[in-house]
Every structure is written in C-alpha cells, then in structure tokens.
Amino acid sequence: MSRIDDVIAELTSGGVREACMGEIGKFIRGRRFTKDDIVRDGIPSIHYGEIYTHYGVAATSALSHVRRDLEDRLRFARPGDVIIAAVGETVEDVAKAVAWLGAEPVAIHDDTFLFRSALNPTFVSYFMRTKAFHVQKDRYVARAKVKRLSGESLAKIRIPVPPPKVQAEIVKVLDRFSELKEELEVGLKAELEARRRQFAFYKESLLTFRDTDEVRRIPMGDLGTWYGGGTPSKAVREYWTDATIPWLSPKDMGVDTVMSTVDRVAQIALERTALKLVPPGSIAFVVRSNILRRHLPIAFVPISVTLNQDMRALIPRDDILPAYVAQVCQARREEILAIAGRTDGSMAAIQSKELMAYRIPVPSLVEQKRIVAVLDKFDAFVKGLSAGLHAEIASRRRQYEYYRDRLLTFEEAAA
C-alpha cells in the first residue's frame, strides 16, 4: 500500500473533485440484436446478460459475434469505452460494467449503455463495483420484474475524478490484487476437488468386493419396498393450504441427503388421493427429468416424505441398512444411469425394469455398518474442509472489496 498511498497523498493533497458521470462523459445506448443474429464468426458483440455472467472488470475480446450484414444497424463501443448492463434479474446485476480494451470496436446490445469519457475505463469499471456506487445506483433502479436503469439516472451518479496518474496507479494495484485473489481461489478449489476425488476413490474401494467374498448380489427390486408418487390437483386448494407434509420432487435432489423439501402437501391430500407417505430412511431416485441426460440424482431421505410423480423411493428390508444402499447407489449412479437410463424421448427417464434388475453387493449387516461409519467420517471431513475453504474464499473476497473501496474513496476537494 505504501507506494500507492504516497502517490495519492502527493497528487490529491487538496482532495479529489467529484462530478456527475453525465458531466464528464456521455451515455450512449446500444442497438437491438437477437439470439437469432448470433453466429460463430462475425462482428464481435456484447449482450447485456454476458456482462454479469461472463465478463470481469475489463475485456480485450468478445464472447459472441453477430451477423456481418447487420453492421449498418448496430451501435459500437470503441476501445476505452465502458459497457454497462442496463437491465438484470436482480438489482445487483443492473449496472455491472466492463471496460472494453479490445483493439477494435464491439457491437453492444440495446439493453446496454456505453460510457465514453476521458477517465481511465478500468478505473471507472472498478468504481462501479464499489459500495459508494451501489448506494447511489439503488436510488434509481426501477424495481419491476426486470430491473432497469436509465441513462438519465446513470448520468446523475457521482464519481471521484482523481488525476490520471492516480487512476492508473489504482488500476495497477487492483489488477494485481485481483490476480492474487483469483490465484488463491483457484488453489483452494483445486484442493477441495482433489479431496473429493480422493473420497470418491476411497468410497469405491470400500464398496468393491471380490467374487470370493461372501457377499450377496441382490437386484434392486428385491431390496425392499418401492414407492411411487403423484401430484395432488393444484385446483384443490386445501391439498396445498396449511401444508406440513414434505413433497419431494426433482428440484430437491441437488444434495446427497434431503433434510427438507421446497413444497409440502396437507394431510387431507393423503386421505383423498393416491399419494402415499414414505417412511423415514428411504433412498430416493429421480426417474423422469431431463437432468437425467447429465446425471442421476440419488439421495438418502431420513425424514418422512411424499413423492412427486417423477420420483421413486426405496425402503430397504430389515437386514439391509438404508444408508449403505444410498452409499452404493450414489457411488454407482453413472453405471445405473448407463444401464437403466433412456434419453431418446422428449423427456429422459429411468426404465423401471432395468432399474429393478440392477444388482448391488450386500455384505453382512455388521459389515454394512462398518462401511457406513467409515464413509460418514470421511464425508464429514470433506464437508468440513469444503466449509472451511468456502469461508476462506468469502473472507478473501471481503478483504478485496474493502481494499478496493478504500482505494476508490477520497477526500472531496473544497468547492
């Protein structure tokens, strides 16, 4: 910090002037192009949605291209402009900005603005990520279903205008700090992924048995009692009013253990429909969803639930531990999907006959308990590591944001 502090102190001893962005630059709106205009090789372009999903503080190349025959109808940002998303699904997304540092102009969508000024564009882009900017922006965002910000409103936002040398030094420092933060995050995520792969290998080793072992290979259909599901009529409001019974659907299946569900049904739905209550300790499978084109969600469910029609659940018999079955099926989900999955229709599905015929190894109950205990400990270790690494990443991001905001906050010059 000492060099940049010295530069700022030397060049801003009398404070830094603040000005409305509309006073020191101009906002120009882009022109419309659609998804149908996107081509593999054409005019470089930036869509508003890409600003908050793909781009960082600055960019030198474009993710997308549009048809060349549209050139006369498009509007272009020049190198040195700042491109700003004018709309977003959340208030946070609106006014995300990227400094365009490419060698050539880039076409911009009509839900973006370019900001053209004499300021360092990356300095402006960094400022538009600060708390000071967001406090001002939030006053002007139109909070409809799609959040919007007009060019007139952007023009009213005040920005510090330090000398060009200070702007350049701040950009240099923040760029380096961003690189260090990114390197740290990549390293931490790599460490977590390595531990997950190690766990997957260890899990597979524990669940692999030799043919000489005294282990039964039991078809899934013979493991216990299977439950199907359904959707009580949405037209009958009392089925869904004051509901307390969990109703498990594919959207709940993003975890390996389901402790709660997004939707619930009322007791009367169990009494008046074919819906059944699945006892605690089931293993739930998604059997109909286009998510099956990628992977097979399987979860252990330690609570009582009802099921959506796209789900099936197994309650194992007394000599088979539910947690063991869940571990085996999760470890072999790719194999089960390859054998039982059908993806040639409009909706991917698991074929019941093939699923019921799939055999899993079932050792003695004592051995099942030992395996589950070992895997639970390792799983707890990986989850603890994951929580710690995510906390470390969050801490580093807060540190970076504090540092960035501090560098971009100045004593205002006397009028």
Side-chain angles (χ1 to χ4, degrees):
M1 285 286 289
S2 58
R3 172 176 165 73
I4 185 63
D5 282 343
D6 291 343
V7 170
I8 291 175
E10 176 187 349
L11 298 178
T12 64
S13 58
V16 170
R17 177 173 71 95
E18 276 196 357
C20 293
M21 294 182 75
E23 295 174 2
I24 57 174
K26 59 182 178 179
F27 291 93
I28 302 172
R29 187 166 191 155
R31 288 184 177 162
R32 183 169 177 76
F33 55 83
T34 69
K35 290 182 179 179
D36 292 337
D37 297 323
I38 303 295
V39 294
R40 189 180 187 89
D41 182 23
I43 298 171
S45 65
I46 292 181
H47 187 272
Y48 75 90
E50 296 169 347
I51 295 176
Y52 47 80
T53 59
H54 174 76
Y55 292 104
V57 172
T60 57
S61 61
L63 175 67
S64 303
H65 297 76
V66 294
R67 293 170 15 226
R68 295 190 181 279
D69 61 298
L70 298 177
E71 183 172 4
D72 292 341
R73 293 161 43 192
L74 298 172
R75 181 157 284 154
F76 292 85
R78 303 171 189 166
D81 288 341
V82 180
I83 305 168
I84 303 162
V87 303
E89 293 184 2
T90 68
V91 173
E92 290 72 23
D93 288 336
V94 180
K96 285 284 181 68
V98 55
W100 178 245
L101 306 181
E104 298 178 345
V106 62
I108 61 170
H109 189 263
D110 66 336
D111 278 325
T112 69
F113 290 99
L114 66 84
F115 177 64
R116 187 168 291 159
S117 75
L119 294 177
N120 183 310
T122 310
F123 172 85
V124 175
S125 185
Y126 273 123
F127 172 75
M128 294 181 73
R129 283 162 167 75
T130 64
K131 183 178 180 180
F133 174 80
H134 286 291
V135 167
Q136 297 183 74
K137 175 199 77 173
D138 287 355
R139 303 173 193 160
Y140 301 113
V141 175
R143 286 165 166 79
K145 183 176 181 181
V146 176
K147 313 301 184 288
R148 291 186 175 275
L149 189 63
S150 68
E152 291 79 8
S153 295
L154 281 165
K156 297 175 185 176
I157 294 176
R158 297 180 68 80
I159 183 172
V161 187
K165 185 175 181 180
V166 173
Q167 295 176 41
E169 286 295 328
I170 288 174
V171 167
K172 186 185 299 184
V173 170
L174 289 179
D175 281 349
R176 180 54 182 153
F177 200 81
S178 297
E179 291 173 6
L180 293 173
K181 178 176 70 74
E182 182 65 25
E183 289 171 7
L184 175 67
E185 290 187 9
V186 169
L188 291 174
K189 289 174 182 177
E191 173 70 12
L192 178 58
E193 183 57 31
R195 292 294 176 262
R196 284 175 174 162
R197 288 197 300 269
Q198 182 183 14
F199 177 47
F201 174 80
Y202 188 46
K203 184 175 185 177
E204 180 62 29
S205 299
L206 273 178
L207 295 171
T208 299
F209 302 92
R210 299 169 299 178
D211 291 338
T212 55
D213 294 335
E214 295 182 2
V215 174
R216 298 164 292 171
R217 265 71 176 180
I218 301 178
M220 297 279 283
D222 295 337
L223 292 177
T225 302
W226 284 87
Y227 291 78
T231 300
S233 174
K234 298 286 187 177
V236 183
R237 293 185 59 187
E238 57 188 329
Y239 290 166
W240 303 92
T241 304
D242 297 326
T244 59
I245 302 171
W247 185 65
L248 185 64
S249 66
K251 62 187 173 186
D252 301 307
M253 295 287 287
V255 293
D256 285 343
T257 300
V258 173
M259 300 301 299
S260 63
T261 60
V262 173
D263 300 304
R264 293 172 178 265
V265 296
Q267 177 64 34
I268 196 170
L270 284 175
E271 297 169 357
R272 294 187 181 177
T273 72
L275 206 61
K276 301 295 183 185
L277 188 65
V278 182
S282 67
I283 300 92
F285 297 74
V286 174
V287 295
R288 186 175 181 273
S289 169
N290 275 328
I291 198 171
L292 296 170
R293 298 184 187 278
R294 301 189 301 276
H295 68 100
L296 171 58
I298 302 171
F300 177 58
V301 188
I303 60 173
S304 295
V305 295
T306 56
L307 301 175
N308 168 280
Q309 68 274 8
D310 296 327
M311 305 289 304
R312 293 200 69 179
L314 165 68
I315 290 290
R317 62 199 201 200
D318 292 343
D319 63 333
I320 301 176
L321 201 63
Y324 172 80
V325 177
Q327 291 279 16
V328 174
C329 291
Q330 288 166 355
R332 288 166 167 69
R333 68 178 87 213
E334 291 184 7
E335 183 178 322
I336 296 172
L337 184 60
I339 292 172
R342 187 186 72 241
T343 59
D344 54 349
S346 59
M347 184 67 71
I350 294 295
Q351 300 173 92
S352 180
K353 181 179 178 181
E354 283 75 6
L355 177 63
M356 295 300 115
Y358 183 81
R359 293 175 177 268
I360 71 167
V362 182
S364 69
L365 190 57
V366 170
E367 181 63 8
Q368 293 175 47
K369 290 178 179 178
R370 185 191 73 83
I371 290 172
V372 168
V374 172
L375 292 178
D376 281 350
K377 288 180 181 178
F378 204 89
D379 188 44
F381 168 76
V382 172
K383 287 179 179 177
L385 177 64
S386 176
L389 293 180
H390 286 304
E392 178 68 14
I393 289 172
S395 175
R396 296 296 182 180
R397 286 176 178 170
R398 288 192 299 271
Q399 181 183 25
Y400 165 73
E401 289 166 5
Y402 169 81
Y403 184 38
R404 178 198 62 204
D405 287 9
R406 177 187 165 189
L407 275 177
L408 292 166
T409 301
F410 306 88
E411 290 291 333
E412 190 170 357

